[in-house]
Amino acid sequence: MPRRQGYALLIALVAGTAALAAAVAFATTLLSGPRSTPLPPAETQAAARNPVDPAASGPSWVATWTAAPVGGEPGTEGGLPGRTVRNVVHTSIGGDAARITLSNLFGTTPLVVDQATVNTRPVTFKGAATVTVAVGGRVVSDPVVVPVAPDSDLQVSFRTPRGGGPVTYHPYTHQTSYLIDDRGTFSTTHWRYLTAVDVRSEQALGAVVALGDSLTAGSGSSTDANARWTDVLADRLGGRYGVANAGIAGNRVVGVGRGTGGQSGTDRLDRDVLGVAGARTVVIALGINDVQQSPQEADPQRIVDSLRALTDRAHARGLRVVGATLTPFEGFLTWTPQRDAVRHAVNEQIRSGTVFDAYVDFDAAVRDPAAPNRLLAAYDSGDHLHLNDDGYRAFGDRVDLKSLDRARAPRSDAL
């Protein structure tokens, strides 16, 4: 065969092979559809909590649910050996993958988990099914490919084969979860060990974190109705932001009361707000327990200064801050005219626009126009301090959505 014909034949064979490969690749794409973006590797705890960059393209990790750890559960000094904890949580936004955070903040012995699932999908930690959480520590799981729907209940289960107590928990959840052992399945209204569920989302711009007390935790609301004001807010936001509830019943701005109010807002800001995945805006709804809970704070300026300090710390991390006015409580056991005067003085400064970037007037949303130091009867849960489902809806409806996603501005906005 002449050399030129040999070269021509070789070129034809190469071209034919390339065309065949291209055809196979095209056919494969038609049959299988577009490939999803690969999951990123599990981040370290610090990287896992970096706020979302609103200008970043592609999917990001954003909190769909959080619970602030309150303390060590009484009677669980030996942990929950051989038991399965099934936490039921309500999502705010959806995503195509999830990861969970387990906390042993109040434990005095290491916590071992040897099985974990999200809606029955197995969860791993650095590739292993078993993880040990150090005393006072927390761990973030590997990503698990599981579809997470917005505004839905999610089951996060894990087994503790041996003691790891006391159990780090969040009581008064207004949500039914379960504890399972060889005797059966028992309902509970505690969340145990679980403090966050993050989702990988291409739509969410970030997370709004609500730092509050029992009025944020939902005291007085119906169990399993998901009627907290943060749930109402999440519905209104329609997936644009995750909503992370960091409310603790009895919580104060500074100090610790005689109840079970957990660490103060001042002490837990870094952990429960700045440490939330995708945190972009914080709504601070604290101060009423400083006014009415023993030991009472008689100087409104000290409460205001503490709220301002929280704002400054959030600003240092680039977060926008929206604050809430303090709501009426005449008729509650601790009410006095003097304490109510402190509440009014705090509200006056909040409304002046000198404490937060913007404020939401929860006081105006639920007070009785005919008796403004009292809750409107239609919103009162019955104790004259906490709200019913309708009252929390009034809170959630009161928040100006534009206040949550505007660029941080001087403290002058009134909502």
Side-chain angles (χ1 to χ4, degrees), residues 177-192:
S177 293
Y178 302 92
L179 194 60
I180 304 166
D181 61 21
D182 54 9
R183 298 170 299 167
T185 300
F186 305 91
S187 62
T188 177
T189 54
H190 297 342
W191 288 316
R192 295 177 169 96

Side-chain angles (χ1 to χ4, degrees), residues 16-301:
T17 301
L20 178 61
V24 170
F26 179 70
T28 302
T29 300
L30 289 176
L31 291 172
S32 62
R35 294 181 182 178
S36 60
T37 305
L39 282 172
E43 296 87 342
T44 63
Q45 291 180 26
R49 294 293 171 250
N50 284 340
V52 165
D53 178 359
S57 59
S60 300
W61 288 105
V62 180
T64 187
W65 172 92
T66 63
V70 175
E73 182 179 353
T76 64
E77 289 72 16
L80 299 170
R83 298 185 185 182
T84 296
V85 177
R86 181 177 297 160
N87 292 298
V88 178
V89 304
H90 195 73
T91 64
S92 56
I93 58 172
D96 61 4
R99 67 185 184 193
I100 63 174
T101 300
L102 302 180
S103 173
N104 194 25
L105 179 62
F106 298 103
T108 57
T109 57
L111 167 66
V112 177
V113 170
D114 66 354
Q115 288 182 5
T117 60
V118 174
N119 276 4
T120 73
R121 299 283 182 93
V123 177
T124 60
F125 301 84
K126 294 185 178 179
T130 299
V131 66
T132 299
V133 189
V135 172
R138 68 178 182 180
V139 296
V140 180
S141 77
D142 301 331
V144 54
V145 179
V146 56
V148 177
D151 191 24
S152 65
D153 287 347
L154 194 73
Q155 292 189 6
V156 180
S157 302
F158 42 85
R159 188 176 67 183
T160 55
R162 52 184 178 271
V167 173
T168 296
Y169 85 133
H170 182 106
Y172 313 120
T173 64
H174 314 288
Q175 193 102 34
T176 302
S177 293
Y178 302 92
L179 194 60
I180 304 166
D181 61 21
D182 54 9
R183 298 170 299 167
T185 300
F186 305 91
S187 62
T188 177
T189 54
H190 297 342
W191 288 316
R192 295 177 169 96
Y193 295 124
L194 182 70
T195 58
V197 178
D198 306 329
V199 294
R200 195 181 74 156
S201 171
E202 296 192 10
Q203 289 78 37
L205 300 175
V208 176
V209 187
L211 181 68
D213 47 39
S214 57
L215 296 173
T216 295
S219 295
S221 67
S222 300
T223 298
D224 297 328
N226 301 302
R228 310 166 193 85
W229 70 263
T230 52
D231 297 313
V232 176
L233 177 61
D235 291 344
R236 293 182 62 211
L237 286 168
R240 289 172 50 237
Y241 291 92
V243 177
N245 189 315
I248 295 179
N251 203 228
R252 302 165 65 109
V253 180
V254 292
V256 178
R258 294 180 181 174
T260 57
Q263 295 168 303
S264 70
T266 296
D267 291 337
R268 65 190 184 93
L269 180 74
D270 286 0
R271 181 192 72 216
D272 293 343
V273 176
L274 305 183
V276 169
R280 189 173 174 192
T281 300
V282 54
V283 180
I284 299 177
L286 286 171
I288 194 62
N289 288 323
D290 298 77
V291 171
Q292 64 87 21
Q293 189 182 77
S294 181
Q296 289 88 8
E297 177 54 70
D299 183 357
Q301 192 59 47

